[in-house]
PDB file of all heavy atoms in Angstrom:
ATOM      1  N   LEU A 176     -30.817  -4.938 -20.329  1.00 93.00           N
ATOM      2  CA  LEU A 176     -31.594  -4.096 -19.435  1.00 93.00           C
ATOM      3  C   LEU A 176     -30.732  -2.906 -18.898  1.00 93.00           C
ATOM      4  O   LEU A 176     -31.261  -2.038 -18.163  1.00 93.00           O
ATOM      5  CB  LEU A 176     -32.166  -4.954 -18.293  1.00 93.00           C
ATOM      6  CG  LEU A 176     -31.216  -5.649 -17.341  1.00 93.00           C
ATOM      7  CD1 LEU A 176     -30.645  -4.691 -16.234  1.00 93.00           C
ATOM      8  CD2 LEU A 176     -31.990  -6.782 -16.666  1.00 93.00           C
ATOM      9  N   LEU A 177     -29.421  -2.936 -19.208  1.00 95.00           N
ATOM     10  CA  LEU A 177     -28.616  -1.783 -18.794  1.00 95.00           C
ATOM     11  C   LEU A 177     -28.917  -0.458 -19.470  1.00 95.00           C
ATOM     12  O   LEU A 177     -28.542   0.628 -19.098  1.00 95.00           O
ATOM     13  CB  LEU A 177     -27.116  -2.093 -19.013  1.00 95.00           C
ATOM     14  CG  LEU A 177     -26.520  -3.226 -18.169  1.00 95.00           C
ATOM     15  CD1 LEU A 177     -25.049  -3.390 -18.505  1.00 95.00           C
ATOM     16  CD2 LEU A 177     -26.737  -2.998 -16.659  1.00 95.00           C
ATOM     17  N   THR A 178     -29.721  -0.584 -20.555  1.00 95.00           N
ATOM     18  CA  THR A 178     -30.289   0.617 -21.183  1.00 95.00           C
ATOM     19  C   THR A 178     -31.351   1.305 -20.349  1.00 95.00           C
ATOM     20  O   THR A 178     -31.713   2.495 -20.574  1.00 95.00           O
ATOM     21  CB  THR A 178     -30.849   0.315 -22.592  1.00 95.00           C
ATOM     22  OG1 THR A 178     -31.978  -0.634 -22.423  1.00 95.00           O
ATOM     23  CG2 THR A 178     -29.799  -0.281 -23.491  1.00 95.00           C
ATOM     24  N   GLU A 179     -31.880   0.573 -19.396  1.00 96.00           N
ATOM     25  CA  GLU A 179     -32.962   1.057 -18.463  1.00 96.00           C
ATOM     26  C   GLU A 179     -32.320   1.652 -17.257  1.00 96.00           C
ATOM     27  O   GLU A 179     -31.203   1.478 -16.903  1.00 96.00           O
ATOM     28  CB  GLU A 179     -33.944  -0.056 -18.136  1.00 96.00           C
ATOM     29  CG  GLU A 179     -34.547  -0.770 -19.346  1.00 96.00           C
ATOM     30  CD  GLU A 179     -35.439   0.195 -20.167  1.00 96.00           C
ATOM     31  OE1 GLU A 179     -36.119   1.033 -19.521  1.00 96.00           O
ATOM     32  OE2 GLU A 179     -35.464   0.084 -21.376  1.00 96.00           O
ATOM     33  N   PRO A 180     -33.143   2.417 -16.387  1.00 97.00           N
ATOM     34  CA  PRO A 180     -32.702   2.851 -15.082  1.00 97.00           C
ATOM     35  C   PRO A 180     -32.185   1.673 -14.321  1.00 97.00           C
ATOM     36  O   PRO A 180     -32.866   0.690 -14.204  1.00 97.00           O
ATOM     37  CB  PRO A 180     -33.905   3.545 -14.503  1.00 97.00           C
ATOM     38  CG  PRO A 180     -34.791   3.925 -15.610  1.00 97.00           C
ATOM     39  CD  PRO A 180     -34.561   2.866 -16.651  1.00 97.00           C
ATOM     40  N   VAL A 181     -31.037   1.787 -13.719  1.00 97.00           N
ATOM     41  CA  VAL A 181     -30.431   0.634 -13.100  1.00 97.00           C
ATOM     42  C   VAL A 181     -29.607   1.048 -11.832  1.00 97.00           C
ATOM     43  O   VAL A 181     -29.050   2.170 -11.787  1.00 97.00           O
ATOM     44  CB  VAL A 181     -29.486  -0.080 -14.084  1.00 97.00           C
ATOM     45  CG1 VAL A 181     -28.319   0.794 -14.496  1.00 97.00           C
ATOM     46  CG2 VAL A 181     -29.017  -1.439 -13.593  1.00 97.00           C
ATOM     47  N   VAL A 182     -29.597   0.063 -10.890  1.00 98.00           N
ATOM     48  CA  VAL A 182     -28.654   0.220  -9.731  1.00 98.00           C
ATOM     49  C   VAL A 182     -27.766  -0.970  -9.754  1.00 98.00           C
ATOM     50  O   VAL A 182     -28.226  -2.129  -9.829  1.00 98.00           O
ATOM     51  CB  VAL A 182     -29.405   0.391  -8.379  1.00 98.00           C
ATOM     52  CG1 VAL A 182     -30.464  -0.729  -8.216  1.00 98.00           C
ATOM     53  CG2 VAL A 182     -28.428   0.375  -7.285  1.00 98.00           C
ATOM     54  N   LEU A 183     -26.457  -0.759  -9.769  1.00 98.00           N
ATOM     55  CA  LEU A 183     -25.404  -1.811  -9.726  1.00 98.00           C
ATOM     56  C   LEU A 183     -25.014  -1.999  -8.319  1.00 98.00           C
ATOM     57  O   LEU A 183     -24.598  -1.093  -7.641  1.00 98.00           O
ATOM     58  CB  LEU A 183     -24.224  -1.382 -10.598  1.00 98.00           C
ATOM     59  CG  LEU A 183     -24.535  -0.930 -12.071  1.00 98.00           C
ATOM     60  CD1 LEU A 183     -23.280  -0.272 -12.685  1.00 98.00           C
ATOM     61  CD2 LEU A 183     -24.918  -2.195 -12.854  1.00 98.00           C
ATOM     62  N   VAL A 184     -25.087  -3.249  -7.884  1.00 98.00           N
ATOM     63  CA  VAL A 184     -24.827  -3.557  -6.500  1.00 98.00           C
ATOM     64  C   VAL A 184     -23.529  -4.296  -6.375  1.00 98.00           C
ATOM     65  O   VAL A 184     -23.332  -5.318  -6.935  1.00 98.00           O
ATOM     66  CB  VAL A 184     -25.963  -4.425  -5.868  1.00 98.00           C
ATOM     67  CG1 VAL A 184     -25.789  -4.437  -4.321  1.00 98.00           C
ATOM     68  CG2 VAL A 184     -27.341  -3.868  -6.204  1.00 98.00           C
ATOM     69  N   MET A 185     -22.589  -3.697  -5.577  1.00 96.00           N
ATOM     70  CA  MET A 185     -21.284  -4.323  -5.457  1.00 96.00           C
ATOM     71  C   MET A 185     -21.129  -4.862  -4.002  1.00 96.00           C
ATOM     72  O   MET A 185     -21.378  -4.143  -3.077  1.00 96.00           O
ATOM     73  CB  MET A 185     -20.160  -3.209  -5.653  1.00 96.00           C
ATOM     74  CG  MET A 185     -20.340  -2.405  -6.945  1.00 96.00           C
ATOM     75  SD  MET A 185     -20.352  -3.373  -8.428  1.00 96.00           S
ATOM     76  CE  MET A 185     -18.766  -4.210  -8.310  1.00 96.00           C
ATOM     77  N   GLY A 186     -20.713  -6.131  -3.913  1.00 92.00           N
ATOM     78  CA  GLY A 186     -20.559  -6.715  -2.629  1.00 92.00           C
ATOM     79  C   GLY A 186     -19.119  -6.603  -2.092  1.00 92.00           C
ATOM     80  O   GLY A 186     -18.221  -6.220  -2.848  1.00 92.00           O
ATOM     81  N   ALA A 187     -18.901  -6.948  -0.854  1.00 86.00           N
ATOM     82  CA  ALA A 187     -17.606  -6.839  -0.226  1.00 86.00           C
ATOM     83  C   ALA A 187     -16.711  -7.934  -0.742  1.00 86.00           C
ATOM     84  O   ALA A 187     -17.128  -9.004  -1.148  1.00 86.00           O
ATOM     85  CB  ALA A 187     -17.749  -7.020   1.273  1.00 86.00           C
ATOM     86  N   GLU A 188     -15.403  -7.582  -0.841  1.00 78.00           N
ATOM     87  CA  GLU A 188     -14.456  -8.548  -1.281  1.00 78.00           C
ATOM     88  C   GLU A 188     -14.407  -9.750  -0.248  1.00 78.00           C
ATOM     89  O   GLU A 188     -14.408  -9.499   0.919  1.00 78.00           O
ATOM     90  CB  GLU A 188     -13.060  -7.952  -1.453  1.00 78.00           C
ATOM     91  CG  GLU A 188     -12.987  -7.015  -2.645  1.00 78.00           C
ATOM     92  CD  GLU A 188     -11.557  -6.624  -3.020  1.00 78.00           C
ATOM     93  OE1 GLU A 188     -10.714  -7.503  -3.132  1.00 78.00           O
ATOM     94  OE2 GLU A 188     -11.314  -5.400  -2.982  1.00 78.00           O
ATOM     95  N   GLY A 189     -14.337 -10.876  -0.775  1.00 78.00           N
ATOM     96  CA  GLY A 189     -14.289 -12.067   0.074  1.00 78.00           C
ATOM     97  C   GLY A 189     -15.680 -12.650   0.387  1.00 78.00           C
ATOM     98  O   GLY A 189     -15.913 -13.838   0.056  1.00 78.00           O
ATOM     99  N   THR A 190     -16.608 -11.822   0.785  1.00 82.00           N
ATOM    100  CA  THR A 190     -17.947 -12.311   1.167  1.00 82.00           C
ATOM    101  C   THR A 190     -18.962 -12.107   0.031  1.00 82.00           C
ATOM    102  O   THR A 190     -19.936 -12.774  -0.077  1.00 82.00           O
ATOM    103  CB  THR A 190     -18.463 -11.682   2.442  1.00 82.00           C
ATOM    104  OG1 THR A 190     -18.451 -10.236   2.258  1.00 82.00           O
ATOM    105  CG2 THR A 190     -17.529 -12.055   3.599  1.00 82.00           C
ATOM    106  N   GLY A 191     -18.693 -11.107  -0.868  1.00 88.00           N
ATOM    107  CA  GLY A 191     -19.634 -10.864  -1.935  1.00 88.00           C
ATOM    108  C   GLY A 191     -20.888 -10.214  -1.477  1.00 88.00           C
ATOM    109  O   GLY A 191     -20.984  -9.573  -0.392  1.00 88.00           O
ATOM    110  N   LEU A 192     -21.927 -10.360  -2.266  1.00 93.00           N
ATOM    111  CA  LEU A 192     -23.235  -9.778  -1.952  1.00 93.00           C
ATOM    112  C   LEU A 192     -23.817 -10.437  -0.710  1.00 93.00           C
ATOM    113  O   LEU A 192     -23.758 -11.716  -0.617  1.00 93.00           O
ATOM    114  CB  LEU A 192     -24.235  -9.930  -3.162  1.00 93.00           C
ATOM    115  CG  LEU A 192     -23.900  -9.167  -4.460  1.00 93.00           C
ATOM    116  CD1 LEU A 192     -24.776  -9.594  -5.570  1.00 93.00           C
ATOM    117  CD2 LEU A 192     -23.968  -7.734  -4.225  1.00 93.00           C
ATOM    118  N   SER A 193     -24.513  -9.675   0.127  1.00 93.00           N
ATOM    119  CA  SER A 193     -25.242 -10.319   1.221  1.00 93.00           C
ATOM    120  C   SER A 193     -26.453 -11.039   0.680  1.00 93.00           C
ATOM    121  O   SER A 193     -26.922 -10.807  -0.389  1.00 93.00           O
ATOM    122  CB  SER A 193     -25.638  -9.199   2.198  1.00 93.00           C
ATOM    123  OG  SER A 193     -26.659  -8.420   1.675  1.00 93.00           O
ATOM    124  N   ARG A 194     -26.847 -12.029   1.455  1.00 94.00           N
ATOM    125  CA  ARG A 194     -28.027 -12.851   1.115  1.00 94.00           C
ATOM    126  C   ARG A 194     -29.261 -12.000   0.838  1.00 94.00           C
ATOM    127  O   ARG A 194     -29.989 -12.205  -0.165  1.00 94.00           O
ATOM    128  CB  ARG A 194     -28.257 -13.883   2.157  1.00 94.00           C
ATOM    129  CG  ARG A 194     -29.539 -14.765   1.881  1.00 94.00           C
ATOM    130  CD  ARG A 194     -29.709 -15.725   3.042  1.00 94.00           C
ATOM    131  NE  ARG A 194     -29.937 -15.047   4.289  1.00 94.00           N
ATOM    132  CZ  ARG A 194     -31.175 -14.570   4.657  1.00 94.00           C
ATOM    133  NH1 ARG A 194     -32.209 -14.640   3.862  1.00 94.00           N
ATOM    134  NH2 ARG A 194     -31.312 -13.958   5.808  1.00 94.00           N
TER     135      ARG A 194
END
Side-chain angles (χ1 to χ4, degrees):
L176 63 79
L177 296 182
T178 60
E179 303 296 324
V181 66
V182 52
L183 304 168
V184 192
M185 311 302 303
E188 289 192 54
T190 57
L192 296 171
S193 69
R194 178 181 59 82

